[in-house]
Amino acid sequence: MSLFVMSPEVAKAKEADTPIVALESTIITHGMPYPQNVEVARKVEATVREHGATPATIAVVDGVLHIGLDDAQLEALATAKDVMKVSRADMPVCIATGRTGATTVAATMIGAHMAGIKVFATGGIGGVHKGAELSFDVSADLTELAATPVSVVAAGAKAILDIPKTLEVLETQGVPVIAYGQDSFPAFWSQHSDLAAPLRLDTAKEIAASHAMRGQMGLPGGQLIANPIPAEAEIAAEVLAPIIAQATEEADAQGVSGKGVTPFLLARIFELTDGRSLEANIALVLNNARLASEIAVELCSLEG
């Protein structure tokens, strides 16, 4: 019995050995309201196709792990209620109990690797939350990057996090953090931060070669490709800083914790920026889908 089901489109791409890009599903269920969530999901998939790859949106539907969703399934997921937000710990429970679950970065990496997909586009990874020295709130995305050989294209870590500590954990875990085309680590909604990127590569071909070399050397884990948001869509870091601080204070005051922190902060920042943060989020996700597709094409060429 197979542990997952591929959509016809993804199965065809696998059989033909053509490029595939994995996509997460929490952006659909937990990131945006309906119908904007399904509209953005369709745009991301279209961007992947336009750049020469096949999109594989990953989700658990009624206890079945799907690698790729058709349009009707995307629509159904976008309107579904009581959807679990699954990571490494709860993904098997969600499947075993017949639930529906949207995959985080960690869970999407697991699903992608099971299906032999090597490149994944997302918005931003999870990381070390502010105050983690007391709460120990560190995303499973970081340890997944150290364990699972998938290259993840993101606009850095979500700006609500403690970025310096996030980079320290990634370094300790041996995860290559590669900024695309710039020397500073991108700050999600902003192109630049005051942190130097550990590594820099300027082409999709170089990133694909780096991924392949890790495999040849037998090194575990993947790569984090930090792709800066397009300049025309960014929100300046100095504008965001007080807004993030206010949202974080409100979360603390209301006792928000665990998996509830990120959705609360993102929703509050959306309100405080009059929707600009969501517009920026959409732009960066589409930009990441483009780069991930280019990397997948290069990797396919390299290994073919």
Side-chain angles (χ1 to χ4, degrees), residues 180-240:
Y180 178 64
Q182 65 181 40
D183 293 321
S184 69
F185 186 70
F188 196 59
W189 292 303
S190 310
Q191 277 202 319
H192 298 277
S193 71
D194 56 3
L195 299 166
L199 296 162
R200 171 181 174 166
L201 291 174
D202 294 334
T203 67
K205 187 174 184 177
E206 290 174 326
I207 295 167
S210 176
H211 178 107
M213 182 55 66
R214 287 185 67 80
Q216 291 166 25
M217 293 175 69
L219 294 173
Q223 305 183 124
L224 174 61
I225 313 306
N227 183 32
I229 184 173
E232 64 275 11
E234 78 166 341
I235 306 173
E238 57 268 24
V239 173
L240 278 170

Side-chain angles (χ1 to χ4, degrees), residues 95-175:
I95 294 169
T97 56
R99 295 278 303 276
T100 291
T103 54
T104 60
V105 168
T108 306
M109 289 181 73
I110 291 168
H113 181 51
M114 287 170 63
I117 300 170
K118 298 171 183 176
V119 184
F120 161 36
T122 185
I125 63 161
V128 180
H129 279 266
K130 292 174 180 177
E133 63 273 17
L134 299 175
S135 68
F136 286 84
D137 191 349
V138 180
S139 172
D141 295 353
L142 303 186
T143 46
E144 203 61 51
L145 275 159
T148 303
V150 174
S151 283
V152 178
V153 182
K158 294 183 177 74
I160 57 178
L161 301 168
D162 188 322
I163 308 302
K165 287 189 178 68
T166 298
L167 288 174
E168 287 292 344
V169 171
L170 288 168
E171 181 184 25
T172 300
Q173 296 285 344
V175 177

Side-chain angles (χ1 to χ4, degrees), residues 9-23 45 47-56 115-120 208 289-304:
E9 184 184 16
V10 173
K12 183 179 178 182
K14 281 296 293 181
E15 187 176 351
D17 201 23
T18 54
I20 304 172
V21 172
L23 302 169
E45 289 202 344
T47 299
V48 172
R49 294 186 186 101
E50 286 164 12
H51 289 87
T54 297
I117 300 170
K118 298 171 183 176
V119 184
F120 161 36
R290 176 194 57 75
L291 178 58
S293 303
E294 292 172 0
I295 295 166
V297 168
E298 291 290 351
L299 194 54
C300 217
S301 173
L302 195 64
E303 295 179 342

Side-chain angles (χ1 to χ4, degrees), residues 80-101:
K81 306 297 182 187
D82 194 31
V83 178
M84 288 179 69
K85 184 179 179 183
V86 297
S87 190
R88 170 174 279 266
D90 35 27
M91 192 177 186
V93 174
C94 179
I95 294 169
T97 56
R99 295 278 303 276
T100 291

Side-chain angles (χ1 to χ4, degrees), residues 6 31 37 62 92 109 130-131 158 177 188 198 205 220 271 281:
M6 288 187 187
N37 54 358
D62 297 330
M109 289 181 73
K130 292 174 180 177
K158 294 183 177 74
V177 177
F188 196 59
K205 187 174 184 177
E271 293 166 357
N281 202 4

